[in-house]
Amino acid sequence: KNQVEQSPQSLIILEGKNCTLQCNYTVSPFSNLRWYKQDTGRGPVSLTIMTFSENTKSNGRYTATLDADTKQSSLHITASQLSDSASYICVVTYGGATNKLIFGTGTLLAVQP
Amino acid sequence: DGGITQSPKYLFRKEGQNVTLSCEQNLNHDAMYWYRQDPGQGLRLIYYSQIVNDFQKGDIAEGYSVSREKKESFPLTVTSAQKNPTAFYLCASRGQGRKDQPQHFGDGTRLSIL
């Protein structure tokens, strides 16, 4: 069964600290994995995309990693800010030409002052 | 600025009533999508359209209908047949160029039952 699982479900950290969010997937065939940030009451916004051949990619304070062998990805947030408080959603594209998407349930991050 | 506009932001539906959610984009994207977001669940695809005058059912199409008469517009109707319509509805669009183009999302419509 095609699945995307994210952990933890929720996370509280202090401003300025780092954190890492996890995404495990079981899909076939894999095309790419994207991390989205969704602020409360808003639509998701793409942070980064990882393809099969990429191990790590950064976007400012966000760094995503991908291990295609273990089918795991992580999103590392450095020096967190209050504005990082949001839900982070892992989305995997699979199915080759059919280009199907499967969404994780998200990790809700709260950054406290 | 280019983007996707969903309206209204909040919508209330009475029992037995159909309601229509609006989605407009000025990104010149061919593909448009409707998703439903419920607490504790990932986004689920309701309908999608790859081109004007054509659309396909997603994973949870029952109780919903769509039209795609214009490239810019992809309205979603929640019919009375949808017994559990309370949810956050997200519209998205995507360009057809590069394979790794992301879906761009609107800011959603929250639908509640009176």
Side-chain angles (χ1 to χ4, degrees):
Chain A
K1 181 183 176 183
N2 294 310
Q3 275 187 320
V4 173
E5 295 183 344
Q6 293 186 242
S7 62
Q9 274 192 327
S10 60
L11 182 62
I12 301 173
I13 62 173
L14 293 176
E15 187 178 12
K17 298 296 185 184
N18 304 336
C19 68
T20 300
L21 314 180
Q22 300 289 346
C23 174
N24 297 340
Y25 61 92
T26 53
V27 304
S28 181
F30 173 85
S31 291
N32 59 61
L33 183 149
R34 192 180 294 276
W35 284 93
Y36 280 88
K37 178 187 179 188
Q38 184 177 21
D39 292 317
T40 301
R42 306 291 298 273
V45 175
S46 177
L47 291 174
T48 185
I49 181 172
M50 307 290 292
T51 58
F52 188 86
S53 59
E54 295 174 309
N55 298 117
T56 185
K57 184 177 285 186
S58 291
N59 177 7
R61 294 180 296 102
Y62 300 103
T63 299
T65 66
L66 176 67
D67 186 334
D69 291 331
T70 61
K71 299 187 177 181
Q72 295 180 327
S73 176
S74 66
L75 181 69
H76 185 76
I77 304 175
T78 304
S80 60
Q81 300 176 357
L82 298 179
S83 59
D84 293 331
S85 296
S87 180
Y88 292 84
I89 302 172
C90 173
V91 185
V92 178
T93 302
Y94 70 102
T98 59
N99 207 35
K100 295 184 178 182
L101 273 66
I102 183 167
F103 290 76
T105 55
T107 292
L108 184 60
L109 174 65
V111 180
Q112 294 185 341
Chain B
D1 288 337
I4 299 178
T5 301
Q6 290 189 241
S7 62
K9 183 107 178 128
Y10 300 94
L11 187 58
F12 297 91
R13 194 191 91 169
K14 295 180 181 178
E15 293 287 341
Q17 188 181 46
N18 294 352
V19 292
T20 298
L21 284 59
S22 170
C23 178
E24 304 278 332
Q25 55 101 356
N26 61 4
L27 299 167
N28 200 33
H29 286 170
D30 288 310
M32 296 187 74
Y33 308 82
W34 273 105
Y35 293 93
R36 172 180 171 139
Q37 188 173 35
D38 294 282
Q41 296 192 42
L43 272 70
R44 292 182 290 167
L45 183 64
I46 304 172
Y47 268 98
Y48 65 100
S49 168
Q50 302 277 43
I51 198 169
V52 175
N53 292 323
D54 187 50
F55 49 83
Q56 307 294 330
K57 291 182 179 180
D59 300 319
I60 55 165
E62 185 175 349
Y64 301 97
S65 66
V66 294
S67 64
R68 187 84 187 278
E69 297 176 2
K70 298 187 300 182
K71 187 175 185 178
E72 302 79 18
S73 179
F74 191 40
L76 173 74
T77 296
V78 183
T79 74
S80 57
Q82 172 49 243
K83 296 307 177 188
N84 183 23
T86 297
F88 190 50
Y89 290 87
L90 286 161
C91 178
S93 70
R94 182 175 178 273
Q96 298 286 60
R98 283 175 49 178
K99 196 176 175 182
D100 60 353
Q101 286 199 34
Q103 292 190 10
H104 296 263
F105 287 85
D107 281 336
T109 292
R110 188 166 297 282
L111 176 62
S112 302
I113 298 299
L114 287 177

